Amino acid sequence: SEKTGLAHISSGDLFRENIGKNTDLGKKAKEYVDQGLLVPDEITITMIMDRLSRPDTERGFMLDGFPRTMQQAKALDEVLANGGRTIDRAVYIRVSTDELVNRLAGRWTCSKCQAIYHEVNQPPKQAGVCDNCGSTLAQRDDDKPGPIRKRIEVQLANLEPLVEYYRGRGRLVEIDGAGDPDAVTRELERSLEG
Ligand code: AMP
């Protein structure tokens, strides 16, 4: 997003922002997010479509964590088609389930600037403190073992049809996510250039 200047739109960030501010949307989403369940399509689709109507998406955008169901993918295509737009690429970063659990369980996020660390793979210089801004690091509630397992189970169940949907339209880009962040970033950038 920094390199292309395209808006980065993360459905999870939007939910956490709304939950933090205790908005109506946040109140509706909280019980699902806390348990590691998908927020119902109707709520999620409305939130993303609302975000996509803002002017900073006119030049293009990068969605992160959306779509996660076929209903979301189809709603997205429909709305974009109405505005003469389309999804150019769908990036699938492949990571084994064991490695996903390891990455999520060790993740710490800065409560202020949202920088992300991992207690083993990418530790901050001082434990619990953000290198960038000195604020306190926190663990997401849904990065606890119970919700982590639930999230992976629920999300993998929905993944295959989505992958096939974008593969069938010639839009799918597959990346090996097993490497370190720099290696994955390089592969991602290469794959998006072509
Ligand atoms: P994430 O930050 O992508 O890990 O998402 C955190 C949580 O937000 C998920 O576990 C879901 O509860 C909810 N969420 C994020 N994106 C979606 C989506 N596309 N559809 C339904 N729920 C979502």
Side-chain angles (χ1 to χ4, degrees):
S1 174
E2 272 168 24
K3 288 199 177 162
T4 57
L6 300 180
H8 169 223
I9 301 172
S10 153
S11 45
D13 283 352
L14 290 172
F15 282 130
R16 280 183 291 278
E17 208 178 296
N18 277 280
I19 292 170
K21 291 184 184 154
N22 206 22
T23 63
D24 286 348
L25 172 65
K27 284 179 201 153
K28 283 188 209 151
K30 184 172 167 33
E31 60 174 304
Y32 301 98
V33 174
D34 283 352
Q35 292 178 67
L37 299 173
L38 290 179
V39 178
D41 282 334
E42 202 186 287
I43 300 172
T44 307
I45 291 168
T46 307
M47 173 182 79
I48 292 291
M49 297 317 157
D50 186 50
R51 178 64 187 84
L52 289 178
S53 67
R54 297 209 339 227
D56 67 336
T57 65
E58 272 166 20
R59 281 188 49 240
F61 50 85
M62 291 179 168
L63 287 166
D64 171 358
F66 184 97
R68 273 182 169 135
T69 67
M70 282 303 298
Q71 205 185 328
Q72 293 177 12
K74 289 187 170 155
L76 177 65
D77 279 354
E78 253 173 54
V79 167
L80 292 180
N82 286 341
R85 301 197 287 180
T86 182
I87 291 291
D88 296 321
R89 308 277 163 77
V91 181
Y92 176 22
I93 306 178
R94 276 189 190 275
V95 179
S96 70
T97 302
D98 284 352
E99 180 60 9
L100 282 177
V101 172
N102 166 39
R103 289 186 187 176
L104 297 177
R107 173 165 66 180
W108 288 81
T109 309
C110 175
S111 44
K112 192 161 174 220
C113 75
Q114 310 304 321
I116 292 174
Y117 300 87
H118 186 278
E119 54 195 30
V120 177
N121 303 342
Q122 211 167 337
K125 290 196 186 89
Q126 192 187 334
V129 179
C130 180
D131 292 352
N132 295 345
C133 72
S135 300
T136 313
L137 301 182
Q139 235 181 343
R140 274 170 49 172
D141 285 339
D142 61 352
D143 280 345
K144 308 266 157 66
I148 286 179
R149 267 192 298 276
K150 193 74 205 164
R151 281 157 67 203
I152 293 175
E153 180 194 318
V154 168
Q155 293 177 25
L156 286 185
N158 283 288
L159 184 66
E160 214 44 47
L162 279 172
V163 168
E164 290 313 317
Y165 182 72
Y166 288 109
R167 199 197 308 278
R169 281 161 182 70
R171 301 293 154 92
L172 191 72
V173 171
E174 283 187 79
I175 303 284
D176 176 8
D180 64 41
D182 288 342
V184 178
T185 304
R186 272 197 303 276
E187 198 185 331
L188 178 58
E189 284 172 354
R190 239 195 334 266
S191 71
L192 292 178
E193 275 162 13

